[in-house]
Amino acid sequence: MRLLGIVCAALALAGCWKSGVEPVSENDRGPEFLAIDDGRPGIVILYATCTLNASYLDVYGEDLGITPNIAAFASEGAVLTRHRTEAGNSGMAFAALFTGQHADGHGIFRHPNVMSEAVYDVSEALADTGYEVHYFGNQPMAAREFNYIQAAAPEHSSKLPLHGEMDRVRALLDRAAEDPSERIAVVTAFTVTHSPYDEQALYSGGVAFDECVKAIPKERLDRLIAIYQENTFGLSRRYDETVAELKLSDQDEVDLACAVESLYRANVVKLDRLFGQLMRELVERGLMEDAVIVFTADHGETLRDEHSDTQWSHGQNLRTDVMTVPMIVRAPGVVPQRHDFVSRSIDVAPTIAGLVRAALPAETGWEGVDLSGVLRGQADAPDLPAFSHTAFAKDGSVRGFALLKGDLVAWEDHGEVSVFRYPDETEDVYDPANPDHAGMVAMLAEYRARLSAAHRGDDTLSAEESEEILRSMGYIE
């Protein structure tokens, strides 16, 4: 049966939409709990956003008190604390997330590019299991016309983000609430936190300013934000050179970093409100206990970081704040708790399939692992290697690769090998004589060889089409 949740009108308050249903204890769990009347969950939502630094979420970073809705959701779900993406570029990252494969499987080595129809993705797994798939996305690198989310029919696809189509979303949820036999899946690929960060979010009501911003006079703050908005590309890719060109003082740099971080934080607050709105719609219809909901992101974001060669960006970046992303799962039978084992974006599709007991074909091509048994407390945590890489150039050259395994992260960046203690990436502890370090470096070399062998250098879009899309996202000038 579908249980009616408790609705709270104040969206910005922590836990305002919480269902009121007590978590299932270890002793109460059993096979009969996995599905009521042996039916699959009526609703599946893969809420995949773009450019989200996990440390800005209360449940991952310090408790900033700015994401109460996501925190409330996380309190009733499984939180994977070491979840890694394949890439800091959205085309590859969303491809891995949706298909359960690395680039040599899904075929996207740089973006934008069209995915082969031969690739089996999570939407097809859901459709084959009887779900009607709907896709909402304003992330152009993961567009439906590029064969991302292949099972979403044209009439069930939108180039608007989910929050821009709430009337359609409400109609879908009404159908699910009125007819328990409905099977509806919603997949998103959108962003509200991508650079250049929207300044309107900073001045909207309810956003608490950082202490450093409070100390900046309004006129100066406006000027700093204008400097950022007008020089986003230069500041992110050529920071020192751009600072010199703009003749910024040391204090200007300090205040600029504060202002831009506050912009980003304000947009994270906006994202939290939008997610809370969706959760409230589910609660109002009594659908929370019949829903599989996965909250994640394609990649993270580097803010102002003196150890990074890009600022307020992601792209060709291997750092943890780009490669580690949120992954929170709430579903029937999933035990609310934190998990510290390494998981990957390629595990998302297999895990969703496991949570709905999908009717999969004999061969999916998926390399990822179904973690549903772990999340339900029925299997031990796996020991998984998480590989990441930067985009491949047309000629096959690539900046670097990363591997997170246990408490160590290894890089190969511009041919230089480094090993760091995760998540701190400030001190290179690489010792060629250390068998763990040597083993990780060998695994990286094997991964590089594997992907390089599969790369063909073919582009599915014209140079003009690619440039137009890249320019719209601020990746080129």
Side-chain angles (χ1 to χ4, degrees), residues 229-440:
Q229 298 285 1
E230 294 165 7
N231 300 275
T232 302
F233 186 87
L235 287 168
S236 66
R237 307 299 174 90
R238 304 186 304 270
Y239 180 81
D240 291 338
E241 178 184 339
T242 303
V243 164
E245 291 173 355
L246 294 172
K247 299 180 179 179
L248 299 182
S249 68
D250 291 347
Q251 189 59 50
D252 287 338
E253 288 189 67
V254 172
D255 290 349
L256 179 65
C258 172
V260 177
E261 181 172 356
S262 294
L263 278 182
Y264 184 79
R265 183 179 297 195
N267 282 278
V268 174
V269 171
K270 178 181 177 180
L271 173 66
D272 179 75
R273 289 176 173 170
L274 295 171
F275 183 71
Q277 178 186 14
L278 176 61
M279 294 301 99
R280 187 168 60 176
E281 297 287 351
L282 287 162
V283 169
E284 288 176 347
R285 291 163 178 79
L287 294 173
M288 285 297 289
E289 303 315 307
D290 192 30
V292 170
I293 307 169
V294 175
F295 179 95
T296 190
D298 62 341
H299 55 69
E301 182 80 326
T302 290
L303 279 297
R304 179 71 179 102
D305 185 349
E306 63 182 15
H307 298 289
S308 174
D309 57 6
T310 61
Q311 309 298 318
W312 305 305
S313 184
H314 40 273
Q316 300 291 80
N317 196 320
L318 297 168
R319 299 189 69 79
T320 285
D321 49 10
V322 172
M323 294 302 173
T324 298
V325 296
M327 173 70 169
I328 309 171
V329 182
R330 189 188 192 280
V334 168
V335 181
Q337 70 179 77
R338 297 175 69 86
H339 295 276
D340 294 329
F341 64 86
V342 174
S343 58
R344 300 84 53 90
S345 56
I346 60 172
D347 301 325
V348 173
T351 298
I352 290 175
L355 290 169
V356 302
R357 300 189 311 285
L360 297 175
E363 294 294 333
T364 63
W366 291 354
E367 187 178 354
V369 173
D370 173 9
L371 301 174
S372 62
V374 180
L375 303 185
R376 285 170 168 153
Q378 299 169 335
D380 293 333
D383 180 14
L384 301 172
F387 292 99
S388 305
H389 64 93
T390 58
F392 278 65
K394 190 175 179 63
D395 64 3
S397 60
V398 56
R399 170 176 172 171
F401 299 83
L403 166 62
L404 173 62
K405 194 173 190 306
D407 294 323
L408 294 175
V409 58
W411 288 5
E412 182 191 326
D413 192 9
H414 291 303
E416 297 290 328
V417 173
S418 304
V419 175
F420 303 94
R421 295 184 180 89
Y422 181 85
D424 181 22
E425 293 169 336
T426 58
E427 181 185 359
D428 183 1
V429 298
Y430 176 50
D431 178 1
N434 184 308
D436 291 334
H437 297 184
M440 292 182 71

Side-chain angles (χ1 to χ4, degrees), residues 62-121:
E62 58 182 303
D63 189 0
L64 302 172
I66 64 173
T67 55
N69 293 292
I70 296 171
F73 173 73
S75 72
E76 298 184 349
V79 179
L80 286 78
T81 64
R82 298 189 179 196
H83 189 70
R84 299 279 283 191
T85 182
E86 180 187 12
N89 301 88
S90 295
M92 296 99 78
F94 274 117
L97 196 160
F98 291 156
T99 70
Q101 301 182 61
H102 284 294
D104 56 339
H106 59 64
I108 308 297
F109 287 85
R110 62 189 166 277
H111 65 197
N113 262 310
V114 178
M115 192 181 301
S116 168
E117 292 186 0
V119 176
Y120 191 77
D121 72 19

Side-chain angles (χ1 to χ4, degrees), residues 98 108 112-117 121 123 135-160 189 460-462 465-466 468-469 472:
F98 291 156
I108 308 297
N113 262 310
V114 178
M115 192 181 301
S116 168
E117 292 186 0
D121 72 19
S123 72
Y135 188 34
F136 300 88
N138 67 339
Q139 222 306 345
M141 304 301 176
R144 178 63 188 86
E145 56 263 37
F146 294 165
N147 276 340
Y148 287 70
I149 305 303
Q150 299 184 22
E155 63 271 21
H156 294 159
S157 303
S158 173
K159 291 185 178 181
L160 294 176
T460 53
L461 301 177
S462 68
E465 290 173 314
S466 294
E468 181 180 352
I469 296 171
S472 73

